[in-house]
Amino acid sequence: MISVKNLYKSFGERVVLHDISTDFKVGESNLIIGMSGSGKTVLMKCLVGLFKPESGQVLFNERDMVSMNEQEQSSIRQDIGMVFQGSALFDSLTVQENVIFPLDMYTNMSLGEKIERANFCLQRVNLENVNNLYPSEISGGMKKRVAIARAIANNPKYLFCDEPNSGLDPRTAAVIDELISEITKEYNITTIINTHDMNSVLQIGDNVAFIYQGNLWWRGDKHSICETDNPELLEFLNASELTKRLIK
Amino acid sequence: MLKTIGQYFLFHKDVFSRPPRRKLFWRQVFAEIWRLGMDSVPIVILLSVFMGAALTIQLHFGTDGQWIPDYTIGFVARQTIILEFSPTVISLILAGKVGSRISSEIGTMRVTEQIDALEVMGINPANYLVLPKVIACMFFHPILIMLSIGFAIGGGYVVGVASGMMSAFQYIYGLQFYFNPFDLFYALFKTVVFAYLITTISAFYGYFTQGGALEVGRASTKSAVQSCIMIITVNLVITQLLLG
C-alpha cells in the first residue's frame, strides 16, 4: 500500500499541492482525476520521487520515500513500474530490448530467460511480431502497450500510469484501461493512474481521488462518483457530454 | 553564469559515480566508441588530407625564391600539424559534430521523459548516459588525432611531391628534422582534455534541457559554442604550461 501524508509541493511562490493525505490500495486501480494544471502529474512525480516535496510523507509499506537516501530510494524504485504519458520508450532500443532493459539492470537472468520473459510480457499486452521493431516504427497504442510490458517486466509491486490513454482512440483507450486493471488484479499490485478521461473512471475506477487546485477535493469510487453533489466535481464531470447524460 | 558553472561541477558528481552493472557499462562504452568515434573517421581523414595539402602549398608559396631550404616546408608542416592543426582544429570540428550529437541526443531524451523513466527505474541517468560517452571520446579522440596527423602529413607529401614543389627526400628529411617526441605527447594530452570538455559540456547542456524541440536545438548550439570557447581557452593554458 502507498500512503501520502500532509504532502506540500510548491514551485517558487506557487503552491501546487496543498496538504494532500490519502491511501492507494493494493490490488485495486487507484485513479487520480482533475483538470489540466490541477497538480495530478506533480503528485505522481512526488510519489515516484522525481520531485521532492517541501513537506509530508510518501509511505511505501510504511517506508518513507521522501526521507530516504538515494540508495534506499533506488531499492524501492526497483519495485516500481511506470507508464509515462508519452510512453518514454528508449528510441535507440528495439521493442524487445526496451522490455528487457529493467531485467538487464536488476536481474541475473540469462539472455534466453530474459527474451522469454520479454515475450511473455509482450504477449500479455497482446503484442506479437513487433520484437525487432524500433519505437518509431510502431503506433501510439502499441507504444503504450510496450511501455506497460516494460513496466511489468520486473514484477513490480507498484505500477504508476500517467495518462495512459491520452491521444488514443476510444476503443484502444478502453483496451489499455482494461489491460491495466487486469494486470493490477492478476499480480495484486498497487496501481495509480493519472487521468482526466471519464471513460477510464467509469470503467476501472476502484478508488478515485479528485484533485482540485492542488487540494484533495473528493474521494470515492466509480459508482459513488455518479451520485456526487460536490459542485467542483460536478463541474468537472459535466464537461463531458457522456457523463453529463449518465449523471442525469 | 555562476549558477551554471556550479551546476556543471555538481553534475560531475552524478556522472562519475560507480556504474551499477560493469558488463553493461563496458557494452555501452564500446557502442559509444562506434557511434561517436568510428563515425567521425571519414570526415577527419577528408579534412586532414585537404588541410595538409593546402598548408604545404601555402608554405611553398611563402618560402619560394627565398634563402630557405626546401626541407623547411616539411619541417614547418609537421610542427604546425602536430602542435596545432590536428589536436586543436580537429577538436573544434569534433565539438560541432560529436558535441551537438551528444547534446541533442540527451536533450531529446530529457524532453521525451526517457531520462525520467531511467530515474524511476532506480538508475542514475547521468552516470548511465554520460560516463560511457566521456570514456569513449577520451579513448578514441587521440586515435582520431593520430590518424589526422598521418593523413595531413600524407596530403602535404602528395601535393608537394606530385606538383614538383620539392623532392620526396626533402619533404621526408624536413619531417624528420629536429623531431621531438614530446610534441606528440603534448598533442595527445591536449586532445584528451578537449575530448573531456566536449563530452561533459555537451552532455551538461543536453541533460538540463527544459521544454521541447526548440530548446533541444538551442542546447545543441549552446553546447557547441561553449565547447569551442573552452577548447581555445584551455589550449592557451596547456600550451603555456607545457611549452611556455
Side-chain angles (χ1 to χ4, degrees), chain B residues 151-173:
Chain B
F151 276 93
I153 288 173
Y157 175 86
V158 170
V159 164
V161 176
S163 63
M165 289 175 198
M166 76 205 99
S167 68
F169 171 78
Q170 281 173 319
Y171 190 77
I172 292 167
Y173 179 74

Side-chain angles (χ1 to χ4, degrees), chain B residues 206-229:
Chain B
Y207 195 79
F208 291 101
T209 304
Q210 277 180 332
L214 197 67
E215 283 76 13
V216 173
R218 266 192 208 135
S220 177
T221 311
K222 226 173 178 179
S223 73
V225 172
Q226 293 294 337
S227 300
C228 289
I229 291 171

Side-chain angles (χ1 to χ4, degrees), chain B residues 25-189:
Chain B
F25 172 75
W26 287 112
R27 203 165 73 189
Q28 283 279 97
V29 171
F30 287 116
E32 296 296 355
I33 286 175
W34 190 258
R35 274 201 289 247
L36 301 174
M38 293 300 284
D39 210 29
S40 306
V41 170
I43 184 80
V44 166
I45 290 176
L46 189 78
L47 285 169
S48 302
V49 168
F50 282 91
M51 290 288 279
L55 182 67
T56 305
I57 296 168
Q58 286 160 1
L59 287 170
H60 180 258
F61 175 74
T63 57
D64 195 26
Q66 310 284 324
W67 287 90
I68 299 171
D70 278 349
Y71 69 81
T72 315
I73 295 171
F75 168 74
V76 177
R78 182 202 75 203
Q79 287 299 93
T80 312
I81 288 165
I82 293 180
L83 294 179
E84 201 59 23
F85 164 66
S86 284
T88 309
V89 177
I90 293 292
S91 289
L92 286 170
I93 288 158
L94 290 173
K97 187 187 177 291
V98 175
S100 60
R101 181 176 176 158
I102 292 174
S103 175
S104 52
E105 181 188 325
I106 296 179
T108 305
M109 287 186 79
R110 168 63 78 193
V111 300
T112 55
E113 295 181 311
Q114 292 176 51
I115 290 181
D116 286 346
L118 284 170
E119 215 166 315
V120 171
M121 285 180 204
I123 296 159
N124 172 354
N127 174 263
Y128 176 78
L129 294 173
V130 182
L131 190 58
K133 289 178 172 55
V134 175
I135 292 177
C137 288
M138 286 174 78
F139 167 76
F140 203 76
H141 280 199
I143 295 172
L144 284 175
I145 297 309
M146 291 298 281
L147 269 176
S148 163
I149 291 171
F151 276 93
I153 288 173
Y157 175 86
V158 170
V159 164
V161 176
S163 63
M165 289 175 198
M166 76 205 99
S167 68
F169 171 78
Q170 281 173 319
Y171 190 77
I172 292 167
Y173 179 74
L175 289 179
Q176 294 169 335
F177 184 71
Y178 200 63
F179 175 69
N180 184 357
F182 181 77
D183 294 352
L184 269 181
F185 167 78
Y186 162 79
L188 296 180
F189 177 76

Side-chain angles (χ1 to χ4, degrees), chain A residues 45 48 50 74 77-78 80 82 84-86 88-92 101-102 104-108 150, chain B residues 13-14 20-21 24 27 35 105 108-109 112-124 128:
Chain A
K45 289 193 172 179
V48 295
L50 288 174
S74 179
R77 281 170 169 174
Q78 289 175 33
I80 292 177
M82 184 155 178
F84 284 84
Q85 196 174 352
L89 298 177
F90 303 124
D91 296 327
S92 58
F101 189 83
D104 267 340
M105 282 293 165
Y106 293 117
T107 69
N108 291 317
R150 182 178 70 180
Chain B
K13 191 179 135 249
D14 289 335
R21 289 258 165 168
L24 263 179
R27 203 165 73 189
R35 274 201 289 247
E105 181 188 325
T108 305
M109 287 186 79
T112 55
E113 295 181 311
Q114 292 176 51
I115 290 181
D116 286 346
L118 284 170
E119 215 166 315
V120 171
M121 285 180 204
I123 296 159
N124 172 354
Y128 176 78

Side-chain angles (χ1 to χ4, degrees), chain B residues 8-23:
Chain B
Y8 172 71
F9 284 108
L10 284 174
F11 176 61
H12 281 65
K13 191 179 135 249
D14 289 335
V15 172
F16 291 96
S17 55
R18 198 166 154 237
R21 289 258 165 168
R22 277 194 192 171
K23 201 175 145 191

